[in-house]
Amino acid sequence: MPEIRVTPLGAGQDVGRSCILVSISGKNVMLDCGMHMGYNDDRRFPDFSYITQSGRLTDFLDCVIISHFHLDHCGALPYFSEMVGYDGPIYMTHPTQAICPILLEDYRKIAVDKKGEANFFTSQMIKDCMKKVVAVHLHQTVQVDDELEIKAYYAGHVLGAAMFQIKVGSESVVYTGDYNMTPDRHLGAAWIDKCRPNLLITESTYATTIRDSKRCRERDFLKKVHETVERGGKVLIPVFALGRAQELCILLETFWERMNLKVPIYFSTGLTEKANHYYKLFITWTNQKIRKTFVQRNMFEFKHIKAFDRTFADNPGPMVVFATPGMLHAGQSLQIFRKWAGNEKNMVIMPGYCVQGTVGHKILSGQRKLEMEGRQVLEVKMQVEYMSFSAHADAKGIMQLVGQAEPESVLLVHGEAKKMEFLRQKIEQEFRVSCYMPANGETVTLPTSPSIPVGISLGLLKREMVQGLLPEAKKPRLLHGTLVMKDSSFRLVSSEQALKELGLAEHQLRFTCRVHLQDTRKEQETALRVYSHLKSTLKDHCVQHLPDGSVTVESILIQAAAHSEDPGTKVLLVSWTYQDEELGSFLTALLKNGLPQAPS
Amino acid sequence: MELAEDWLVESLRLYQDFHAFDLSGATRVLEWIGEKGVFVAGYESSKKNEILHLILPLRLSVKENQGLFPERDFKVRHGGFSDRSVFDLKHVPDTRLLVTTGLPGCYLQVWQIGEDNDVIEAVSTIDVQDREKSLWPRVSVFSTAAPGILHGTRLSGLKTVDIESQKITYSSGTSDSESLSSLQVLDSDTFAFCGTSGRLGLVDTRQKWAPLEAFSPSPDSSGQRWCADVRNRGQGPGPCVASLGSDGQLCLLDPRNLCHPVSSAQCPVSKSSPDPELLRVSWAPGLDNCLAISGFDGTVQIYDVTSWDGKKSQVESLFTHKGHILLDGNEIDATPLVTTHTWHPCKPRTLLSAASDASLHVWDWVDLQASC
């Protein structure tokens, strides 16, 4: 039965731990392998036992695809490949391949060093996992095997994020991962062609939201920074080198210029080098504007933003500092935080989610007293601001993407069906497609009608044309032929040709039917009567009376014989080949009706 | 984009908070449900319209530690589809029911908000007496134990229908055919009306039709279309009825003497309202003597009417919200028209405003004069 099966893995309805199993035309693909950041135990990993209860997964999966480097999409990858066991290919874009291991290692350090976790993947496991990665370019069709192919599309959202099309024969599925339909200051908007997949799989987390405009988010950020520096305070912005840092720097630079501000903005050096390196590598992944300016100058040669020196943290007066790492869990950002936390004029702006166990997570939960190394207690008097800059598509964005790709069906993951009934109706009405909303662990089966191309032999076509009526585009036409299947090709040929190709002899099937007639005359006369009757009735057919007394209608043979027991009854033997079935049946019925009275 | 960036910088000074959203369709409705939810609804005539129950971004609802809440998005809590355009929507307090009105205006639609799902479903209709092609009935709700829907296109057709039993519990019984611009229930027995000509009246439903009335504000204002708003009682002394004309004239009246306005002023609007049906005047629930007007252009203007008396020729707005025009740096000829606005029930200086380009703004303005 041709069908596509989709199962989002894991228990519960929470976001995070993106991991979707797709079965398409016998191929099994795993989409993303995320970690649930809210849990500390096994619940943070997807439930791989669904694939198989016993051990390694290599034989059960044809490939794994990772959409982007966020931990809720790739955080469980080393666990999956090295601890559960998978040796097949893992596909992702080049930037994702470069950045993933960095984030995984950071995360590992926090989990093991900060939280003292035991059963966690090691640095070596991360390395071994990445060896299985096959990097892909945008819009490049990659053959996973001779039937399965994949293609990546630009998704916006973060550097290297992609949407993937998975195709087997004429069946295809598109998985969006996280995407964004509005461009921002350093990334473009997601785009896909009218690829008309059987199914489009997308997140529903933000499907029921209406997003606040980018300008207002920026405004809020600027306002907070501005107010702080105006009152002489210092602003700390802990960032990940390749996250929102670029976006925020460009923003501050633009407005510092406009507002003619002299307050210094610093960028910690480690950040600059790393960022420059990756942006140079992946310049094609940024938006037009960035690419244009990049040609002219170095990414981080801003007028108002300078390299930071650790001694600057002690300088009096207002300043803004971007420093790594992003969750305040170690390094320079934590050092600066410790120096500035005690002053209520200062502010720390957290631009993203922080993992449990980090200082970032603690202060975002409202904690104002932190226990640092050596039992030291740090009182946090500085203002704490949590700002979200991550760009996800909202209800409007989803509608836009569905409109672009034109799928036959849509599947939304990570949502509660009851809470999204309105959205389902909206999608179904606007696009006339079915919309599915499986719970985690629930399988959705989509029947598909694959189109199988069959070549028809010219000879057969010509023969059909000769038969009369020309083929009509809208009316189906019944054709008789023989289907020859060889390797992956299907051909429709005439029976004779098929027999010839196969070296088979044609068998003739002949049917004989007995029709009883009341006739006292001799057989020859009965035959003559039959002949006259048929000749006058079947004006369109060739009726002949043969010298041996038998009558033929086309190729059908009629012979008259006397009944063995009753001389008054004559038996007509009507015989025909399988090909003449129709005429044969007709003749038999006709004769059964009896012969007209012979003129005496 | 330059203009937009300039305005964004200016906005740092002008607004405490500012959020901007793009709805899938423009709305003329902004109806509160509690303090945290609003309804919006589309008014297109040729296609299906959405009715949405939106929950305000968490950031705007929390009282403390605002900084720790990054969510700035509206959440679509419930949604439904309407084949008709929706010009007004009222929530029946303490129920899961909504009433909408629009064109064609021969009936009101009653809806139910889903309890364990997110769908708003049409449940019943209420017939309207006057069936006229281009008029649509105004609606207000008597939120008594048995809620009644007050509605009508003209004074003559004013009725209250019990929403449960569909029985008519009040009928104006007048032959006065003044067409209505707004209806406002004030308490369980009284309501106020404003006719399109500017006639204002207060009606006691327990009595035979004999409204306390004001005739058209002034002879030279004929031709203008009017709307009005009555302030909640107990909000301080001073006039509590405000009426707004399509040429920008604003009149303040005392209900004890509707015939003589306490004051009137010409608001600085560049032109008459291009669509007087969109005129809106509303008293601020959390500020003394402040009101907002919209429906002339892409702005919402706020006035402090504390010391207004007599006829004022020149008044200045306390604040003008230009976000709908300037946020995206539109060309001058493409400026949207503000379709409606509403004050936040508890945050004194927060308003919501919607425009014809489907934008929806939530803004908390800074009182630069610090007197209101």
Side-chain angles (χ1 to χ4, degrees), chain A residues 219, chain B residues 7 10-18 267-268 287 289-294 297-305 308 315-324 326 341 343 348-353 361-372:
Chain A
R219 181 199 168 271
Chain B
W7 187 78
E10 255 238 271
S11 78
L12 295 182
R13 188 178 57 94
L14 298 173
Y15 301 88
Q16 191 55 36
D17 247 329
F18 180 46
C267 296
L287 298 171
N289 300 320
C290 276
L291 48 76
I293 68 168
S294 68
D297 50 27
T299 69
V300 179
Q301 297 172 9
I302 297 173
Y303 292 91
D304 177 354
V305 301
W308 283 22
V315 284
E316 239 182 61
S317 66
L318 186 58
F319 186 86
T320 302
H321 174 62
K322 299 186 189 155
H324 293 283
L326 296 173
H341 71 263
W343 292 83
R349 265 178 302 279
T350 299
L351 285 100
L352 273 65
S353 58
H361 291 180
V362 183
W363 40 284
D364 185 353
W365 53 281
V366 171
D367 185 355
L368 297 167
Q369 293 169 35
S371 61
C372 202

Side-chain angles (χ1 to χ4, degrees), chain A residues 419-456:
Chain A
K419 301 252 173 82
M420 296 188 311
E421 184 55 36
F422 171 66
L423 177 68
R424 175 212 289 254
Q425 284 180 15
K426 196 170 149 146
I427 292 175
E428 287 183 344
Q429 274 178 34
E430 177 99 16
F431 300 111
R432 311 223 170 283
V433 297
S434 320
C435 188
Y436 302 90
M437 295 172 175
N440 280 349
E442 185 192 323
T443 303
V444 166
T445 305
L446 263 86
T448 58
S449 40
S451 58
I452 303 167
V454 174
I456 180 171

